[in-house]
């Protein structure tokens, strides 16, 4: 069964304290892995797509990496405005384009 | 560029009623997907529409149905509402082609009393 597990469920950081979020996946043929940010009361906001092991993407203080079993979202010197829930999703081979399988998310809180 | 818009933002219904949620896709996008997100959970895929036809469906009963219109906007209809249908319903649009990222609206919060 295709599934995505994110850890930790919640993470509290001080401003400037770098850390990483983990996304472990089990899928029958990975088409793509997606990272989203979700603020309370809002829809998920697209951050990155990763397609193959070894690939990396960066955007401001965020960097996403991918291996054959997991992805990491590295947050460097976070600011309070980085506080949000970060969702990881995979698209499996054989599924329709729309069939993204999401993890439960990691709720990140950054204190000033 | 206009993003994905959904209406209404909030809705309260009672058990057994029917509901229709609406979504306008992002400009240039021809594929629409619908997701259900329960509190504290990740979104779950309901179904996808491409060129006005259903193009994939998740593990949801037939009382969840949809439509896509020629302008690529879409509707999600839910019949015989149950208490467990209370959730945030998200619409996402994307361009044609495998692996294109999906862009989400802010959802409709549906509460069933």
């Amino acid at each position: 069964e295709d599934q995505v597990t994110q850890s930790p469920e919640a993470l509290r950081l001080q401003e400037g304290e770098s850390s990483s979020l983990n996304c472990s996946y089990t899928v029958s043929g990975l088409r793509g892995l997606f990272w989203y940010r979700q603020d309370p009361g809002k829809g998920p906001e697209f951050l990155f797509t990763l397609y193959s092991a070894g690939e990396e993407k960066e955007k401001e203080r965020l960097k996403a990496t991918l291996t054959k079993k997991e992805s990491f979202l590295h947050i460097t010197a976070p600011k309070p405005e980085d506080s949000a829930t970060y969702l990881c999703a995979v698209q499996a081979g054989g599924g329709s384009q729309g069939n993204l399988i999401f993890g439960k998310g990691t709720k990140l809180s950054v204190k000033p | 560029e206009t993003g994905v818009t959904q209406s209404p933002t909030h809705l309260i219904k009672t058990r057994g009623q029917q509901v229709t949620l609406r979504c306008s896709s992002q400009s240039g996008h021809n594929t629409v997907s619908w997701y259900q997100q329960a509190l504290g959970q990740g979104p779950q895929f309901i179904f996808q529409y491409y060129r006005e036809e259903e193009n994939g469906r998740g593990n949801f009963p037939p009382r969840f149905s949809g439509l896509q219109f020629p302008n690529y906007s879409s509707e999600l209809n839910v019949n015989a509402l149950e208490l467990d249908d209370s959730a945030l319903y998200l619409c996402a649009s994307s361009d044609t082609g495998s692996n294109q990222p999906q862009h989400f609206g802010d959802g409709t919060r549906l509460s069933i009393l």
Side-chain angles (χ1 to χ4, degrees), chain B residues 8-19 21 39 81-89 108-113:
Chain B
T9 54
H10 295 85
L11 204 51
I12 299 175
K13 292 285 188 179
T14 56
R15 278 186 303 172
Q17 286 189 310
Q18 177 266 340
V19 70
L21 310 181
L39 208 57
L81 287 166
E82 301 177 359
L83 293 178
D84 284 349
D85 295 334
S86 294
L88 179 67
Y89 288 85
T108 294
R109 173 69 64 185
L110 177 63
S111 299
I112 311 300
L113 303 180

Side-chain angles (χ1 to χ4, degrees), chain B:
Chain B
E1 183 178 87
T2 307
V4 177
T5 58
Q6 294 187 241
S7 64
T9 54
H10 295 85
L11 204 51
I12 299 175
K13 292 285 188 179
T14 56
R15 278 186 303 172
Q17 286 189 310
Q18 177 266 340
V19 70
T20 297
L21 310 181
R22 294 179 174 82
C23 170
S24 292
S25 60
Q26 183 169 319
S27 177
H29 288 180
N30 55 19
T31 302
V32 173
S33 304
W34 286 91
Y35 292 81
Q36 180 194 67
Q37 187 176 24
L39 208 57
Q41 303 294 313
Q44 275 198 300
F45 175 66
I46 303 175
F47 45 55
Q48 180 188 70
Y49 278 83
Y50 171 65
R51 291 187 175 180
E52 303 176 53
E53 300 221 348
E54 189 178 289
N55 182 39
R57 188 179 183 93
N59 189 25
F60 281 82
R63 60 190 185 84
F64 285 78
S65 63
L67 284 173
Q68 187 181 30
F69 300 99
N71 65 355
Y72 306 130
S73 66
S74 179
E75 287 183 353
L76 165 65
N77 300 290
V78 187
N79 293 323
L81 287 166
E82 301 177 359
L83 293 178
D84 284 349
D85 295 334
S86 294
L88 179 67
Y89 288 85
L90 295 163
C91 170
S93 72
S94 55
D95 201 355
T96 308
S98 182
N99 304 337
Q100 292 301 306
Q102 296 179 32
H103 297 270
F104 286 81
D106 285 337
T108 294
R109 173 69 64 185
L110 177 63
S111 299
I112 311 300
L113 303 180

Side-chain angles (χ1 to χ4, degrees), chain A residues 31-94:
Chain A
R31 283 189 186 176
L33 185 141
F34 303 83
W35 281 98
Y36 288 85
R37 168 193 170 127
Q38 187 172 27
D39 292 299
K42 299 290 186 180
E45 175 189 348
F46 171 71
L47 294 173
F48 303 110
T49 308
L50 301 167
Y51 295 108
S52 57
E55 191 174 358
E56 299 182 353
K57 294 271 180 77
E58 283 190 69
K59 179 181 179 180
E60 297 179 355
R61 296 177 292 282
L62 300 176
K63 179 180 177 179
T65 62
L66 181 65
T67 72
K68 288 186 178 179
K69 294 183 179 180
E70 57 191 351
S71 176
F72 291 93
L73 185 65
H74 308 276
I75 303 177
T76 302
K79 298 182 177 181
E81 52 262 41
D82 294 322
S83 298
T85 295
Y86 290 85
L87 294 166
C88 171
V90 297
Q91 184 183 21

Side-chain angles (χ1 to χ4, degrees), chain A residues 19-38:
Chain A
S19 188
S20 296
L21 313 182
N22 176 264
C23 171
S24 298
Y25 62 90
T26 306
V27 293
S28 51
L30 179 71
R31 283 189 186 176
L33 185 141
F34 303 83
W35 281 98
Y36 288 85
R37 168 193 170 127
Q38 187 172 27

